[in-house]
Amino acid sequence: LFPQNIYFGYDQSRDATVSQEIYKNHDLKIIGPSAGKDGLFHGPLYWYLIGPLYLFSRGNPAYVLGFISLINAAGVFLIYFLAKKIFGEKVGLCSALLYAFSFSESQYALYFANPAPAVLSMMIFYLGWAILIFQKKPLAWILVGLGLGLSIQFEFFLIYLFSSAIILPLVFWPEVKQGLKPKYLFLGFLSLFLTMFSFILAEVKYGFRTTRTLLSVFLPKTEVGIKLPTSSFLGRLGMEIYYDVFNFWPSLREISAFALILTIVFLAIKVKTLRKAFIFILIWIVSNYFLDFFGPPQLYYVGIGLAIPVIFLLAYFLTILWQKQKFFSLALLVLFIFANLNLMKKYNPMGPVMDLYVQKGMLLRDEVKVIDKIYKEANGKKFTVNALTMPYKIKTTWAYLFNWYGRQKYGYVPFWGGEDVPGYAGVMPHPDSSKYVRFAIYEPMRGIPEELKKEFIDSENGYAMPTNNEEIGYFVWEKRTP
């Protein structure tokens, strides 16, 4: 389906603009995109990662998302090694196969945003702990520090992984104690320090803003003292189970999540030879609960990484079943693959699911078609364009598309006829006359209130009434001639 299902909205155009400015204008960044909560920001590493790809491809988003997809695909090797360390060779091979056909991982491969690479960095983090606990090799501290720092760089709310870094040594202290070699422990802290260095610089420069924000989260100023968060943890875990295993019954997500946890507890008690393994993945899963203290956005990506232990458990059951009932085990595997491919067929043509993005249908293929139609209508003459956007009145998306695609193909960029809100990425010239042909673009309406649409239409009608319009995908464009 790629590249026809590339989602390209405000976040993607902002990242495309900022990442190239880092290298073109030497505009170095020490903080990344907003994490959706005042005072909290992701790291800037994602911008440094994608910037050279944009420059190499002359601004083409398809090359960048293609690279992100390849990174995600490489997880098939990481999950194999990780599962092998915890459960053994057979579970490792089965986990790799399940990962390769996983609907949720195919969604992260299409997720054109900074959290996407965290699928791998989280596996690096837990691979380090697995090597420490199950093989007692102190060199694994480097992987622990590297995986933790990279995860927080890509997705700030993965700071909750510090809870795993506290719980795992407490539970597995005899094993971890054997890996406490000063040299390797220092290398682990060094890898963590280097990967989080941008956060340290930002804290110093901005008066420890993030620290104060986090303290306000954990120590709210109320008369009743510290409040426990209302948890959406079971919903996040249930979503992963639904997308990867039992995707026939979406209404049972919370129940299936609770059942999964009880199953792991039961196995930890019953299967003595793998007790450590089940406790390990139980800690992996339950540590995600601490995320609720931060009040994260209720979007699918905040549960990133939960699919991996779910896949481990499914792979374990399939390999155990294979020893006794090969036909039944194979039938379940085929059912799993069919169900996941069915979800891919249903959702992936339109890019990521709406649990990841608010707007529906913000696809690059349709945006390019809209631009082609507008230039064709303009017939080589100067024109003005305005758009009903999300965020409202922010031209970042269309500024990037016209500067990248429009300029390269047609040789010039239109005037921007809307408000020029300061502080946002994207540059377009201002009109020097009101006599130019004017085009209005309506983005997909999901997430845009009707009153804003009415305000936009009334404003555009003030210039002239539409003489031509067309619907392309979830977009609509209109032509107005003064």
Side-chain angles (χ1 to χ4, degrees), residues 31 112 165 205 220 299 338 365 387-388 424 468:
I31 62 172
F112 204 170
K205 182 174 181 178
L299 294 172
F338 172 79
R365 70 183 186 206
L388 177 59
Y424 290 88
N468 192 10

Side-chain angles (χ1 to χ4, degrees), residues 18-27 47-49 51-52 55:
V18 174
S19 64
Q20 291 180 75
E21 289 176 348
I22 289 174
Y23 293 94
K24 286 182 177 179
N25 305 332
H26 307 292
D27 185 11
W47 288 338
Y48 287 93
L49 180 67
L55 295 177

Side-chain angles (χ1 to χ4, degrees), residues 61-91:
Y63 283 80
V64 183
L65 183 55
F67 175 73
I68 293 173
S69 298
L70 287 175
I71 289 179
N72 181 276
V76 74
F77 301 106
L78 266 179
I79 197 172
Y80 163 72
F81 287 115
L82 181 53
K84 181 181 177 181
K85 302 294 182 188
I86 302 173
F87 289 100
E89 177 81 20
K90 292 180 180 179
V91 176

Side-chain angles (χ1 to χ4, degrees), residues 121-165:
S121 62
M122 283 190 70
M123 283 198 279
I124 292 172
F125 171 72
Y126 282 108
L127 177 62
W129 283 112
I131 294 173
L132 266 175
I133 293 168
F134 298 101
Q135 293 186 319
K136 306 175 183 62
K137 294 182 178 179
L139 193 62
W141 285 112
I142 299 175
L143 294 178
V144 171
L146 184 66
L148 179 57
L150 289 177
S151 296
I152 299 171
Q153 274 284 340
F154 292 129
E155 168 52 61
F156 179 79
F157 290 116
L158 290 179
I159 195 171
Y160 82 81
L161 291 176
F162 275 108
S163 63
S164 293

Side-chain angles (χ1 to χ4, degrees), residues 456-475:
F456 178 82
I457 293 174
D458 291 342
S459 174
E460 290 301 294
N461 288 343
Y463 293 94
M465 298 304 292
T467 59
N468 192 10
N469 67 80
E470 183 181 358
E471 185 175 336
I472 298 177
Y474 287 82
F475 295 89

